[in-house]
Every structure is written in structure tokens, then in C-alpha cells.
Amino acid sequence: MSRNPPTHDFLVERFHPIFKRIAEHAAQREHARELAHQPIGWLREAGFGALRVPIEHGGFGATPEQLYDLLIELAEADSNLPQALRAHFGFVERVMAEFEPNQRAPWLRRVADGSIFGNATTEPGDGALGRLQTRLFQQEDGTWLLSGEKYYSTGTLYADWVAVTAEREGADPAQVRTIALVPTDAPGVECIDDWRGFGQRLTASGTTRFDRVVVAASDIIDFARSGTTLMTAVFQLFHIATLAGIARAIERDAVAFVQPRQRVFSHASGDVPREDPLVQQVIGHLASTAFIATLAAREVARGLGELDRWRLRGEPLPEDLLVDVELRAAKAQVAVTEAVLTAATRLFDVGGASALQEDRRLDRHWRNARTLASHNPVIYKSRVIGEHALNGTRPTFYWAVGTRGSANGAQTSG
């Protein structure tokens, strides 16, 4: 069996018609807040979730560069969907990069067979930095039970399995991170659609509760929380690629809005809007932002592709390359976020009040970009970049959210 990645033409033929179908009703779904179960189903049926699964495990064996190019296009169609699948693709990458070799095959096969994986990492409340309230504990008969509550469970309402971070009985949480892999329909699992953010409203990022859920020992994975890792850049690049897709959607929607319009202001600079040099200038700015955002995302993906090729050769990942790729992701986040938010505002300069009509939902581009920018705040990325430039300080690969000095649980990330 060939181990070569799929060709560009194959990926275009397989997925572009689906992206086009997804885009047709994206604004309508956003307006009605209709969860994207059907579009997720289309992607599942086409094997989109198995893009990165190696061919020998039943997947397509796509490269990181190919995956993120497709994610940009999917985000252009509907920016909710790449984020809804972020945990899934992050899980696949973690299996290949951080699971022990003897643990990988069954999980990769599940993905190849169509299973989608969700996320249950962040916890509500003011818990202590670096600690979790979600617990994985063992009964006298050896059975493992999982209990806790998570928020920002992005994608889990669309998923078959959920990767749950927990503090495992007998493990040092400062040194070891534990993931419990749980079917979303298992007894004791409750997935709630209560995400109330003003953006990315269809990402299924609500609450997930676990009440003494039985977890098989083979479905419990420990890994270290120290050293360098590619996973932080993997997860951050999802946001960057999604922002690039939003930028392309902004350009698309601005052009589609302007081209057929005949109404002009009495003090306009053209007979129709598309001939007005001021409107043309705005469109040019939007197109340039989309171009630069796409290039930035591809540059980070190229770095992840380099790391992936080291892994495929069975060689240790170079420390300096891991640091470089993490810094690329941080720089791209800072630059792309500001540019796309500006473009999402300038979009409305191409028309009058009719651009504000709710059924057009042109406001979704700014709301969704602003929401993505808030997940991993840009100000901290800027500081990390500056500190490295001035002092050579290595970026932080593992981080947490919580309250300093609290004795209770917290939420972790990275």
C-alpha cells in the first residue's frame, strides 16, 4: 500500500463540493443558531476527520500543510466548523506525537472508521492554577470512575468520544497530565448546549458533566507536562487558520455585496459602487488581508510539516525547530488577529445601512474573529515574543487558567 500523501487534485475533488454545500446556508444557520449536525455529518461521511490518520490505519495520510489548507477553506465556508473539529484533529495529532506506539492503533482505527473526538478540558469557577476538580479514581475492585464538570467543551455535542483531562488518583498533577477517553453516550455523561458567547455560536462549546463514569484502564492515557511539544502550535494554528478563512469570507461577501448594487450616495466617487475608487480601495484592503492571513497560516503549517517529517523518519524532534514553530504560531496569531478584526470592521464601509440587515449576518465575521482572538489572549503572545527577542527566553508550552493561591481545582490548557 502506498504511503504517499493524497494529491491536491484528489482533495479538491473530494472536499470542495462539500465546502460549497456548507457555505450555502452558513449565514442562515448562524442567524437561527442551528447547530451544524448535518454539515458535520457530510464531513464525517467523506472521511474528513481521517485526513491525518496514516494510510496503514485506514486514513488518507495527509500532511499538516494539506490539512490546514483545507481547514482555511472550510473556515471560509463556515468558521464554526474548524473550531468544532479542533479537539478532534488535536487528538489525532496527540495520538501520533505523544501516545506510546502500542497505544496508537485502536484510536487511529476508530478515527478512520468515522468516530469524532471532542474536548472536555477547561473547568468553570476560580480553581487553583495547575489543578483540576475533575477526578479519576479507582474502586476497590479496580474499576476507574470519572467525575467532574467541564466548560468550553468545543465540538463535544458533535462527537462520539470525548477526551477528558482529569487528576488521576496516585499521579502528581504537576508532572503528569491524564486524559480519560469516554464515549459521549456512556452512562453518566451529560452534554449541554449552553454556550452563550456572541461569536462561534455553533461550535457546541457548552458544559459537559461526568457522574461516576466508568473508564476502562486502556482508555486512560498519562503524559508529561514538561519540555517542548508541538501540540501548543497545533491547537493555536487552528485559530489562525480559522481567522484566515474568515478573512477570505469577508472578501467574498464584500465582493458579492458590491457587484450587483446600483444605489450610490450623491457624494460618491462612481456611478455605481463597483466603479467607485473608494469602494475598490476597501475591497483591495480586504483581499490583501485574506492573502496575508493565508500565508501566515501556511507558514506555521510548513513548520509543523517539517516536524511531522522528522517524526515519520523516527528521529527525535529538534528542540530548536519546536521553539521556532511555537514562535511562528505566536507571531502569526498576533499579526493575523489584528488584521482580520480590522477587515471585519472595514467590510461595512462598502455599503450603507443595507449591509446591516440581520439576514445577511455580515456581523458574524467580526463576532467570530473576536471570539477566536479571546481564547488565547493576544497580549500574552506578544509578550512571549518580545521576551524571547530581548532575552532569548523559551516560550511557554504548557499553561493553565485559574486563581493563584486557591486550594481548589482549576482548568488547564496547552
Side-chain angles (χ1 to χ4, degrees):
M1 180 180 291
S2 171
R3 292 183 178 228
N4 293 327
T7 65
H8 173 75
D9 288 344
F10 171 83
L11 295 174
V12 167
E13 182 178 350
R14 190 173 189 90
F15 295 113
H16 281 203
I18 299 173
F19 296 163
K20 183 178 179 181
R21 201 184 335 164
I22 287 170
E24 287 173 356
H25 300 292
Q28 179 182 330
R29 282 192 300 273
E30 183 90 14
H31 186 59
R33 200 182 178 281
E34 175 189 339
L35 289 178
H37 288 290
Q38 188 176 47
I40 292 286
W42 297 335
L43 293 168
R44 184 204 300 267
E45 290 167 11
F48 190 76
L51 275 166
R52 286 281 293 139
V53 173
I55 294 170
E56 60 266 30
H57 292 289
F60 292 110
T63 66
E65 293 94 330
Q66 289 176 319
L67 170 64
Y68 286 103
D69 263 356
L70 288 171
L71 288 169
I72 292 169
E73 294 175 12
L74 177 59
E76 182 181 354
D78 185 338
S79 68
N80 291 281
L81 298 185
Q83 190 184 357
L85 293 171
R86 178 174 178 254
H88 171 85
F89 284 106
F91 171 74
V92 173
E93 215 65 41
R94 194 182 296 282
V95 170
M96 295 190 294
E98 297 190 346
F99 278 34
E100 295 298 326
N102 62 350
Q103 296 174 318
R104 295 171 188 161
W107 299 107
L108 293 173
R109 173 53 63 179
R110 285 187 177 99
V111 175
D113 289 342
S115 289
I116 293 176
F117 286 74
N119 139 76
T121 299
T122 304
E123 296 181 348
D126 295 325
L129 279 168
R131 300 301 303 274
L132 293 167
Q133 295 177 1
T134 303
R135 297 287 189 268
L136 189 61
F137 53 95
Q138 198 167 26
Q139 302 286 83
E140 290 184 3
D141 64 0
T143 302
W144 286 95
L145 299 178
L146 175 73
S147 289
E149 182 175 311
K150 301 288 189 176
Y151 195 49
Y152 304 129
S153 306
T154 304
T156 297
L157 282 171
Y158 302 126
D160 306 287
W161 290 77
V162 57
V164 188
T165 55
E167 288 196 10
R168 181 175 62 79
E169 186 177 63
D172 180 357
Q175 300 298 323
V176 174
R177 188 174 188 182
T178 299
I179 291 180
L181 294 159
V182 179
T184 52
D185 61 356
V189 178
E190 183 182 12
C191 303
I192 305 167
D193 178 23
D194 60 352
W195 166 239
R196 292 295 176 262
F198 63 59
Q200 295 296 87
R201 298 167 68 217
L202 310 183
T203 55
S205 299
T207 297
T208 309
R209 296 193 181 110
F210 305 92
D211 182 13
R212 297 176 66 83
V213 178
V214 175
V215 183
S218 60
D219 299 345
I220 298 170
I221 310 294
D222 290 335
F223 58 93
R225 283 184 54 80
S226 60
T228 52
T229 177
L230 58 81
M231 292 308 304
T232 313
V234 164
F235 282 113
Q236 188 56 55
L237 182 52
F238 262 81
H239 290 332
I240 299 164
T242 305
L243 286 165
I246 290 173
R248 290 163 64 150
I250 290 169
E251 177 192 356
R252 176 202 67 206
D253 288 352
V255 170
F257 179 82
V258 170
Q259 279 182 332
R261 283 179 64 80
Q262 298 295 314
R263 286 164 57 89
V264 295
F265 290 98
S266 59
H267 50 296
S269 302
D271 292 334
V272 292
R274 68 178 179 274
E275 295 176 358
D276 189 322
L278 297 179
V279 174
Q280 293 169 354
Q281 181 184 33
V282 173
I283 297 293
H285 174 91
L286 303 183
S288 300
T289 299
F291 175 72
I292 292 299
T294 299
L295 286 184
R298 285 175 173 167
E299 174 61 18
V300 183
R302 187 176 65 83
L304 288 172
E306 292 177 46
L307 289 169
D308 194 56
R309 288 180 277 281
W310 280 84
R311 178 186 65 81
L312 290 172
R313 292 194 297 266
E315 301 179 45
L317 303 185
E319 181 91 2
D320 59 346
L321 183 55
L322 284 162
V323 170
D324 177 63
V325 173
E326 177 63 20
L327 288 169
R328 288 189 212 182
K331 292 172 184 176
Q333 181 191 1
V334 172
V336 168
T337 297
E338 182 175 353
V340 175
L341 285 171
T342 299
T345 299
R346 291 203 67 183
L347 163 62
F348 294 95
D349 291 338
V350 302
S354 56
L356 308 179
Q357 292 174 350
E358 284 197 342
D359 58 348
R360 296 183 187 275
R361 275 300 172 208
L362 296 180
D363 62 307
R364 76 186 188 276
H365 300 311
W366 184 89
R367 290 187 292 100
N368 292 343
R370 180 63 265 173
T371 302
L372 290 165
S374 298
H375 287 311
N376 298 329
V378 174
I379 56 173
Y380 298 112
K381 294 294 185 179
S382 298
R383 185 202 61 76
V384 166
I385 296 164
E387 187 178 15
H388 178 269
L390 291 168
N391 305 314
T393 307
R394 196 179 76 172
T396 300
F397 288 87
Y398 300 89
W399 50 275
V401 178
T403 303
R404 296 188 189 278
S406 171
N408 298 316
Q411 48 266 39
T412 61
S413 198

